[in-house]
Amino acid sequence: MKGTYSMSIKQFEPKFMRVGVLTAALQELTPREVRDPDPDRAIEDWIGFAAELGADNIQLSAALHPSESDIPAEAMLDPVANTLDLRQPFDKSRARRVIKALDTNKIGISDLGYFDNMLHNDAAIRKNKHDFMLRVFDAAALLGVDAVCGFVGRNQTLSMDQNLLDFAEHFVPLLRQARDRGLVYRVEQCPMPGWTTGDNFHNNIAYTPGTWIALHRICEKAGVGDQLRIHYDPSHAILMGQDTRSLFQYLKDAGYNFLIGGFHVKGQVIDSRGVSGWGYGGRTVERGDWKGGKPSDTPADQANAWLKQTVLAEHELPGTARHDPLAYLQNRTVDWLDHQLAARELLNLDVANTHLIVEHEYPPARIQDRERLKPILKGSIAFTRKIDEAAACMYALQHEVLAAQDIPVQGIGRQAYRS
């Protein structure tokens, strides 16, 4: 009997997520004069760098080349990286070269990332972005990657409700193209407040669970519900006064806890002084992006539109910030351990095939110097891995081992909808 009982005991088997890094963390790893004439050199160099950092994967960043972009780099808060250069189509020979580098360094690609406004109100600019997105889709298919990550965006000439109609008419066709290539499109939920010098704060309409659900219902009716998923970034939830556990619980309560398919690991540290002066709507006047009563034509001035956000918050690279415990209770920063525990408890995830992508946007550490940045990224990736391992062990012990023997868990922990 004793042997039989021992065989029935639930074993301790924690499941870990895959840890990666977004290649925009170091835009200029390969100098322009080297990679512009040899674009895939940038990918090879980043694959090698990722191996040195201890990452499992890279999230390969694509973007319109600076010579083709409609937004000057000087107007951006975080200039994007075109590690994947698609001025020329990505063909089978290019794919073989990249796959060889991946195999040599034992690095994978979690997904391809192209973060742009896919609902731009200018028809010509929108077409350019959509055409580029299709090139990203083609590259993902050739590389054997199953997902692309990006934004939905917003048509600035329309109301939010009208944007739902625009999404149905013009974004859903992109999802059909993704479906045809066997891809999923994962939306990061950043509201992108600095995208415009206007007063709108929410310039990516897929910014919160309520809109995710509305968009997914449109997709279900169009037959592309399986193509739309969310790449959750807790920093953006913090920006809007939300906390991860409550947000996940909301999705579960609504029957949509399957929507989140991947994670950006990036925090947000709220500045109480900034909130006191401007509230969570951010700085609304005298930012410097308007001159003489109209939007400035100078790109550097236009970047001041980001004061809507930066006046009250600063991005955190995981592991670099110290947190007042009260900040967790006030939903003003991320409790990383509970973030990973809540994901396992409340979301419908294939944990072993879920990606945690370190996204580096901590301003003082945005160093375009490989040797200086390397130990910073390496430390953050190590922190992220250990936090996930700790959460995996807690979950396995509490929800599997103890539960199988009807032994209660001690204490309460953080609870949803309570701050």
Side-chain angles (χ1 to χ4, degrees):
M1 290 293 293
K2 183 176 180 181
T4 303
Y5 176 73
S6 298
M7 290 296 291
S8 68
I9 294 175
K10 177 66 177 177
Q11 297 303 303
F12 177 69
E13 299 173 342
K15 295 181 178 64
F16 307 135
M17 296 186 185
R18 299 181 179 184
V19 179
V21 58
L22 174 61
T23 62
L26 183 54
Q27 298 100 315
E28 306 304 327
L29 178 65
T30 307
R32 286 279 170 194
E33 60 269 22
V34 174
R35 63 185 170 119
D36 273 357
D38 183 16
D40 296 325
R41 170 69 181 275
I43 306 177
E44 289 175 327
D45 288 351
W46 240 108
I47 291 169
F49 189 44
E52 294 176 25
L53 296 175
D56 300 321
N57 300 280
I58 58 170
Q59 183 179 49
L60 182 55
S61 179
L64 289 164
H65 190 270
S67 64
E68 299 176 341
S69 177
D70 59 295
I71 303 175
E74 297 84 2
M76 299 181 189
L77 178 64
D78 298 294
V80 292
N82 67 314
T83 314
L84 174 60
D85 188 328
L86 295 176
R87 287 173 295 164
Q88 298 297 322
F90 193 82
D91 57 22
K92 290 182 180 179
S93 64
R94 293 183 67 184
R96 284 194 295 268
R97 178 178 173 182
V98 171
I99 291 170
K100 181 180 179 181
L102 292 168
D103 292 343
T104 299
N105 290 277
K106 296 181 173 56
I107 292 291
I109 297 178
S110 60
D111 51 356
L112 271 53
Y114 169 43
F115 304 93
D116 212 332
N117 184 0
M118 307 312 294
L119 295 181
H120 198 286
N121 56 280
D122 184 293
I125 292 176
R126 180 187 292 200
K127 184 180 186 305
N128 191 39
K129 296 178 189 299
H130 283 215
D131 289 346
F132 188 84
M133 182 63 81
L134 294 179
R135 288 190 174 190
V136 174
F137 287 175
D138 288 338
L142 284 170
L143 288 168
V145 177
D146 62 5
V148 168
C149 183
F151 296 138
V152 171
R154 177 178 183 170
N155 186 330
Q156 291 293 331
T157 68
L158 303 178
S159 70
M160 291 293 275
D161 276 305
Q162 289 172 322
N163 264 272
L164 295 182
L165 301 176
D166 198 350
F167 173 88
E169 183 176 358
H170 295 109
F171 194 92
V172 164
L174 282 176
L175 296 180
R176 292 195 181 103
Q177 294 283 347
R179 180 187 61 192
D180 292 346
R181 293 164 175 81
L183 301 172
V184 171
Y185 189 85
R186 290 201 287 256
V187 182
E188 185 184 353
Q189 90 274 22
C190 182
M192 300 303 288
W195 251 353
T196 172
T197 56
D199 292 333
N200 288 339
F201 193 93
H202 302 121
N203 296 307
N204 171 29
I205 64 173
Y207 71 94
T208 198
T211 56
W212 305 344
I213 293 170
L215 294 173
H216 194 266
R217 286 172 177 161
I218 292 170
C219 292
E220 286 182 301
K221 290 179 181 178
V224 289
D226 290 341
Q227 271 55 61
L228 185 75
R229 290 296 184 266
I230 302 302
H231 196 83
Y232 177 68
D233 184 327
S235 71
H236 308 313
I238 296 300
L239 181 63
M240 290 176 283
Q242 299 166 315
D243 74 275
T244 286
R245 180 168 287 276
S246 297
L247 189 150
F248 292 173
Q249 185 70 57
Y250 182 92
L251 287 174
K252 184 176 181 180
D253 292 347
Y256 283 85
N257 61 334
F258 62 87
L259 272 184
I260 291 179
F263 300 90
H264 267 159
V265 191
K266 181 170 89 270
Q268 193 91 259
V269 180
I270 297 296
D271 180 356
S272 295
R273 179 182 292 272
V275 174
S276 297
W278 297 98
Y280 274 85
R283 185 162 182 166
T284 53
V285 298
E286 298 179 336
R287 292 186 299 256
D289 52 332
W290 284 63
K291 301 291 184 182
K294 62 180 182 180
S296 174
D297 293 328
T298 304
D301 291 340
Q302 295 166 16
N304 289 317
W306 283 102
L307 280 169
K308 295 175 192 174
Q309 173 179 325
T310 59
V311 73
L312 64 99
E314 184 174 70
H315 282 133
E316 170 202 356
L317 178 64
T320 61
R322 296 175 180 174
H323 299 294
D324 180 343
L326 287 176
Y328 297 133
L329 300 179
Q330 296 171 326
N331 303 338
R332 291 189 173 187
T333 191
V334 185
D335 180 341
W336 288 113
L337 184 61
D338 193 64
H339 177 281
Q340 292 306 107
L341 192 60
R344 289 169 167 82
E345 291 174 341
L346 298 170
L347 299 180
N348 183 11
L349 292 175
D350 176 5
V351 172
N353 291 305
T354 298
H355 295 279
L356 294 174
I357 304 300
V358 173
E359 183 184 13
H360 176 30
E361 292 183 356
Y362 173 38
R366 290 303 298 267
I367 304 165
Q368 295 301 305
D369 181 312
R370 176 189 177 120
E371 294 309 312
R372 290 183 63 196
L373 186 58
K374 179 179 174 180
I376 297 172
L377 289 177
K378 190 170 185 176
S380 184
I381 288 169
F383 170 85
T384 299
R385 191 183 304 282
K386 293 302 182 184
I387 284 289
D388 183 64
E389 290 176 354
C393 291
M394 285 182 68
Y395 181 84
L397 181 58
Q398 295 176 5
H399 293 270
E400 296 172 356
V401 176
L402 292 182
Q405 299 186 43
D406 296 321
I407 299 174
V409 175
Q410 295 170 286
I412 297 172
R414 181 153 188 165
Q415 296 175 295
Y417 310 140
R418 181 180 180 186
S419 52

